[in-house]
Amino acid sequence: MRIIVGISGASGVVMGYEMLKALRMQEDCEIHLVITQGAIENFKYETDMEIKEVMKLADYCYDDKNMAASISSGSFRTDGMIVIPCSMKTVSAIANGYGANLLVRAADVCIKESRRVVLVPREMPLSRIHLDNLKKAADYGCILLPPMLTFYNHPTTVKEQVDHIVGKVLMQFGMEHKAFIPWEGK
């Protein structure tokens, strides 16, 4: 598989980091990473991680301003894209085709080429504008997977909640996450 991961400037950049780690554990998965400037700032505010360590988890990293990167073209084949976390600014740009940076352009390419795009929107409460943009993105084929809390798996840490979200995203691409605890039924 060849997956693009976009990490935008929403709170929750640790989810992007955990996604990269989970993708790294997948067999034959090539990871293309775009991190926005806002996300780089959030890594400083929300974590103790060095951005270079985050970037090492990807096979290819692109500057968000590099509109000539391979992932900006539909002729560069991928299996899709994950934007985690996805800021409302990024949702709006994707929903309205405003390719102002490489992350949004890569999502636009995936949409026009009918490739899977999974957005993990991070905002609350949601305004009517947010909801309109999310609906528009869904209407264009994006899969919306907000990071909702889950309790049936009896999580005791934030990490377990993040693992659940990462596992749900990977399921969209037919992949599994070892730390994901699925509902077993009764």
Side-chain angles (χ1 to χ4, degrees):
M1 288 205 111
R2 182 183 276 172
I3 302 288
I4 302 168
V5 175
I7 302 177
S8 76
S11 183
V13 292
V14 70
M15 292 186 298
Y17 171 74
E18 292 296 333
M19 178 59 64
L20 291 168
K21 284 179 25 184
L23 286 169
R24 176 63 43 222
M25 294 184 341
Q26 301 295 317
E27 192 172 315
D28 298 321
C29 184
E30 184 178 286
I31 307 165
H32 293 258
L33 175 64
V34 182
I35 305 176
T36 66
Q37 190 58 47
I40 290 169
E41 292 301 313
N42 277 357
F43 270 103
K44 292 177 193 173
Y45 297 136
E46 297 180 355
T47 75
D48 295 327
M49 294 177 224
E50 293 292 326
I51 202 67
K52 289 183 194 256
E53 294 304 310
V54 175
M55 294 169 79
K56 283 183 184 177
L57 292 169
D59 297 295
Y60 300 91
C61 294
Y62 305 94
D63 185 305
D64 196 32
K65 295 177 191 86
N66 180 6
M67 298 299 275
S70 58
I71 61 173
S72 71
S73 173
S75 62
F76 184 77
R77 294 181 186 261
T78 69
D79 293 286
M81 183 170 185
I82 301 163
V83 184
I84 182 170
C86 188
S87 69
M88 286 300 126
K89 176 182 176 181
T90 301
V91 168
S92 178
I94 291 169
N96 292 288
Y98 183 64
N101 62 38
L102 181 59
L103 188 154
V104 176
R105 172 60 187 165
D108 186 51
V109 165
C110 287
I111 292 167
K112 79 179 183 72
E113 298 293 335
S114 299
R115 297 174 187 152
R116 192 165 300 253
V117 177
V118 178
L119 307 179
V120 182
R122 242 307 283 127
E123 186 62 73
M124 69 177 182
L126 295 168
S127 74
R128 292 170 85 181
I129 295 168
H130 300 150
L131 291 169
D132 284 345
N133 286 328
L134 287 165
K135 182 182 182 316
K136 203 183 263 191
D139 288 344
Y140 293 132
C142 294
I143 296 163
L144 304 178
L145 206 152
M148 304 273 189
L149 298 175
T150 305
F151 298 99
Y152 64 77
N153 53 351
H154 302 284
T156 58
T157 66
V158 172
K159 170 85 168 70
E160 289 172 338
Q161 288 283 355
V162 171
D163 284 337
H164 189 80
I165 294 159
V166 168
K168 293 291 273 188
V169 172
L170 291 178
M171 286 173 65
Q172 298 299 313
F173 292 91
M175 294 186 264
E176 294 183 12
H177 184 35
K178 290 180 182 177
F180 177 77
I181 301 170
W183 173 251
E184 295 293 331
K186 295 285 178 186

